[in-house]
Amino acid sequence: METGIKDKSMRTIFLRIIGISLIPLLVMGIAIILLENIYFRNILREEIKRELHTSAHGLSESYRLADPGDFRMDGDGTVYKGGEKVSGLLHEIDDELYDMGLVCTFFYGDTRIDTTLEDENGNNMAGTKLDGEIYDELCNTAKELFCDETRIGGRSYFGYYIPYKNSDGRVSAIFFAGRLRSEVFFNSSSFTFIILWIAGVVLITGIITSLLCSIYIVGFVHRHFREEREQNLKEKVARNQLEFMTLIKREVRDPIDTVTILSDRIMDEETSPTVRVNVLGIREACNSMLTSFNTIREYSTLETGDVSINEEEYEITKIVSECCEKVSPGVERKNLGFNVDYDMTMPCFLKGDQAKIRQILDNLLDNAVKYTYDGTVDLNVGYRVITPDKIDVTFTIKDSGVGIRQEEARKLFSSIGKMGVDKNLSIKGTGLGLLICKRLVGIMDGRISVESEIGKGSTFRFTVPQDVISRKTVGECIDNDI
C-alpha cells in the first residue's frame, strides 16, 4: 500500500515537471511570435517610408513643384508654379500611379486641387480639406512628414507629405503620396504567414522536443529513485544482517572460547592418540566457525557499502604466525605437512590494513587445510619493490587437496555456491569466503588468482601493495625471535 502511494505521488510530481517545463516554452513561443510580428511590422514601416519618400520626390519633380517660383491660384482655381501650370498633371500619370499602387494629391493651402484619391463610394476627393493637425504641423515645421495611418475619405493610408514654401516663407503648397494600408498588408500577408508558420513549426518542434526530454528525464529520475530505493532496501537488509551477525558472534564467542580452553586442558591431561585427534577436530571446528562468522559479517559490511581502508603499522611475521596458528589443529589432526617460506630480504615492518589481510589469509589457509586430506599445505610470502617506500606483498597458498576444474576455478571469485559439486562430493561450504577475499583484495588495490586441477590441489595467490615502515628484514626479525 505504501509503495503504491509513493508511486502515485511520484507520478504526480513527474506530471508537474512536464507541465512546468512546457509553460516557459509556450510563453517563449508566444513571445517569439509577438516579437517577430512587431519586428516585421517595423521593417515593413521603414520599407513603406522609404518607398513613399522616393515616390513622392520623384512625382514632385514630374510636377515641377521644386522648380524656382511661388505658387499662386488664378480666379478659376488653377494653380501655377511661377509661370507653369501644375493643376491637372496627375491625370497624365494616373495609369502609372495605379500600377505602382500609389495615390497622390496636391494641396494649395489646405485644399486638394488635383488628386487621385477617392472616397469609399468612388468619388474623387478634389476640393476636400487636409486634416487640421497635420496641416498645422506642416506649416509650423515646414518639414516632410510620414504618417503610419492617415484617414482620408473613410480609408486608411500610409502617407508621405512634402511641404513647399513661397518666397515669403509661408507654406503654400503640399504634395502627398500614399498607399492603402489594407493593400500593403494584403500584399505582405503571405510573408507574414510564412513567418508565423515558421514560428509555429519552431514552437511545435520545441514543445515536442521538450516533451521528449521531459519524458526521458522522468524515466531517468524514476529509474534512479527505484534503484536508490532498492539499494537502500538492500543496504538496510545488509545492516540488519550485520547487526544480527555481530550479536550472534558475541553470543557464540564465549562458548567457543570455553570449548577451546577445555580442549587445551584435555590435550594437556590426556595422551591417548584417539582422544587427541578428536579434540583437535573440536578445536578445528571452533576456529572454522569463527572464520565463518567473520566471513558473513564481512560480507554484510561490504553490502552496506560502509567499507574503508584502516591503515596501521604491523609486523608481517606476526600476522602470518597467528593465521597459521588458527589452522594448526586441522593440520595436526590430518597429519599434514605445513611449510611457511619467506623471502628473507623483504621488509618486516609494513603499513596497511592488516585486518583485511588477516581475513583473506584466514579464509585461504582454512580452505587449503579443509580440502586437503593427505599431503602438504605450503605458504610462501614474497615481495616486489614498487618504490623505495612501497612494495607489493604476495602470499601464495599451495595445497595438495582435491582441487577443481580450471574452468570452474575462474568462477570462484564471482559467485556464491560450490564449484564442481558433481565431481567433488567432499567439498563443503558456499564459496562466500572466496568472494569476500576477491572484494577485500580489490578494495586494497590488489590482485588475486587461482590455479587448480582435479586431484592435484590448488594454488591461490594474492598480492597487495603496502607501505614500508622500516628497512629491517624478515630474516632479521626471525633471527631475533629465535
Side-chain angles (χ1 to χ4, degrees):
M1 178 67 72
E2 184 179 353
T3 301
I5 294 174
K6 289 182 178 179
D7 289 340
K8 184 177 180 180
S9 176
M10 192 175 298
R11 285 195 297 270
T12 302
I13 293 174
F14 291 158
L15 291 175
R16 289 179 180 175
I17 290 174
I18 294 175
I20 293 173
S21 66
L22 289 178
I23 289 174
L25 188 61
L26 289 171
V27 173
M28 182 179 68
I30 294 172
I32 289 174
I33 293 175
L34 293 176
L35 290 175
E36 285 288 344
N37 194 33
I38 294 171
Y39 181 66
F40 167 70
R41 287 180 178 273
N42 288 335
I43 292 177
L44 182 63
R45 179 183 183 277
E46 293 300 318
E47 184 64 29
I48 293 296
K49 182 178 179 180
R50 283 193 295 269
E51 178 188 350
L52 292 180
H53 174 272
T54 302
S55 299
H57 278 277
L59 291 170
S60 67
E61 290 177 3
S62 298
Y63 255 139
R64 296 185 293 279
L65 300 179
D67 292 345
D70 291 342
F71 291 92
R72 61 183 177 81
M73 179 184 289
D74 64 8
D76 63 359
T78 303
V79 179
Y80 295 86
K81 173 76 170 179
E84 297 288 335
K85 178 182 175 182
V86 294
S87 292
L89 293 179
L90 279 178
H91 298 290
E92 300 176 7
I93 55 174
D94 200 8
D95 292 337
E96 182 181 350
L97 293 175
Y98 179 79
D99 292 338
M100 296 172 61
L102 293 172
V103 291
C104 295
T105 187
F106 172 66
F107 296 87
Y108 184 76
D110 62 349
T111 304
R112 291 178 179 86
I113 302 300
D114 200 6
T115 181
T116 61
L117 287 169
E118 295 179 349
D119 62 17
E120 293 176 323
N121 299 319
N123 299 318
N124 190 276
M125 298 289 294
T128 57
K129 298 292 185 179
L130 173 64
D131 181 87
E133 292 183 3
I134 294 177
Y135 181 69
D136 290 340
E137 183 175 351
L138 291 169
C139 290
N140 292 332
T141 63
K143 293 182 179 180
E144 297 177 8
L145 176 65
F146 172 74
C147 292
D148 289 314
E149 185 171 3
T150 299
R151 300 290 300 182
I152 303 174
R155 296 183 177 181
S156 179
Y157 295 88
F158 286 103
Y160 199 89
Y161 297 87
I162 303 177
Y164 296 94
K165 295 188 295 184
N166 282 350
S167 57
D168 60 3
R170 183 177 60 84
V171 173
S172 57
I174 299 170
F175 184 79
F176 168 85
R179 292 189 64 180
L180 272 171
R181 287 173 60 88
S182 59
E183 292 183 0
V184 169
F185 286 117
F186 177 79
N187 293 333
S188 63
S189 60
S190 59
F191 181 68
T192 305
F193 175 76
I194 291 173
I195 291 179
L196 294 177
W197 186 81
I198 293 174
V201 170
V202 172
L203 177 60
I204 293 173
T205 303
I207 291 175
I208 294 174
T209 303
S210 176
L211 187 60
L212 292 175
C213 291
S214 298
I215 292 173
Y216 174 78
I217 293 173
V218 165
F220 175 80
V221 173
H222 179 69
R223 287 193 301 272
H224 174 74
F225 283 168
R226 184 177 61 190
E227 291 172 359
E228 184 179 8
R229 183 172 58 189
E230 291 175 353
Q231 182 63 27
N232 291 338
L233 180 61
K234 183 178 179 181
E235 291 178 359
K236 182 178 180 180
V237 171
R239 282 194 297 270
N240 292 339
Q241 185 181 26
L242 176 61
E243 293 174 359
F244 176 74
M245 292 309 302
T246 301
L247 179 62
I248 292 297
K249 182 181 177 181
R250 291 173 183 171
E251 294 294 330
V252 173
R253 185 60 187 260
D254 288 341
I256 290 178
D257 288 343
T258 302
V259 171
T260 301
I261 293 172
L262 292 175
S263 299
D264 290 339
R265 289 181 181 178
I266 293 173
M267 291 180 65
D268 291 339
E269 298 173 357
E270 182 63 51
T271 58
S272 169
T274 302
V275 174
R276 185 174 182 85
V277 168
N278 291 335
V279 172
L280 288 172
I282 293 173
R283 289 187 57 188
E284 182 183 5
C286 290
N287 290 336
S288 181
M289 186 182 296
L290 287 176
T291 300
S292 297
F293 274 117
N294 289 334
T295 298
I296 297 173
R297 186 180 183 279
E298 192 67 38
Y299 180 78
S300 300
T301 302
L302 290 172
E303 288 297 296
T304 63
D306 188 19
V307 182
S308 59
I309 300 295
N310 300 314
E311 295 187 343
E312 54 186 343
E313 297 179 9
Y314 65 90
E315 184 178 342
I316 187 69
T317 54
K318 288 187 177 180
I319 288 181
V320 172
S321 177
E322 291 170 1
C323 291
C324 292
E325 180 65 26
K326 290 181 181 179
V327 297
S328 61
V331 171
E332 184 178 348
R333 183 179 66 84
K334 294 180 178 181
N335 197 26
L336 302 176
F338 191 87
N339 304 309
V340 179
D341 184 28
Y342 292 98
D343 184 332
M344 294 298 178
T345 63
M346 75 176 294
C348 185
F349 294 94
L350 306 174
K351 184 177 181 181
D353 196 329
Q354 62 165 322
K356 289 182 175 56
I357 294 176
R358 288 175 185 270
Q359 180 74 24
I360 299 168
L361 200 54
D362 280 343
N363 270 288
L364 296 180
L365 287 175
D366 185 65
N367 282 343
V369 173
K370 184 186 299 183
Y371 299 125
T372 301
Y373 303 100
D374 186 26
T376 61
V377 174
D378 298 320
L379 170 61
N380 178 271
V381 185
Y383 79 107
R384 180 181 66 87
V385 175
I386 301 176
T387 66
D389 297 321
K390 199 176 194 67
I391 63 172
D392 265 343
V393 181
T394 300
F395 299 87
T396 305
I397 299 93
K398 182 177 182 181
D399 64 66
S400 58
V402 294
I404 59 174
R405 296 180 183 276
Q406 186 60 38
E407 59 270 20
E408 294 175 342
R410 289 190 290 268
K411 304 177 184 178
L412 282 175
F413 302 115
S414 59
S415 62
I416 301 176
K418 294 182 287 186
M419 297 290 107
V421 175
D422 56 333
K423 300 295 183 180
N424 297 283
L425 299 177
S426 59
I427 293 180
K428 303 175 182 179
T430 62
L432 181 60
L434 295 178
L435 183 62
I436 296 298
C437 291
K438 173 69 174 180
R439 294 190 181 181
L440 293 180
V441 168
I443 290 172
M444 293 187 288
D445 297 326
R447 305 174 299 280
I448 188 168
S449 62
V450 59
E451 296 175 4
S452 186
E453 186 177 350
I454 291 289
K456 295 186 178 181
S458 304
T459 300
F460 287 86
R461 182 177 293 106
F462 74 96
T463 301
V464 289
Q466 301 287 281
D467 294 329
V468 177
I469 301 301
S470 171
R471 297 299 170 187
K472 189 174 182 180
T473 65
V474 168
E476 292 172 337
C477 288
I478 292 176
D479 290 339
N480 291 339
D481 290 340
I482 295 174

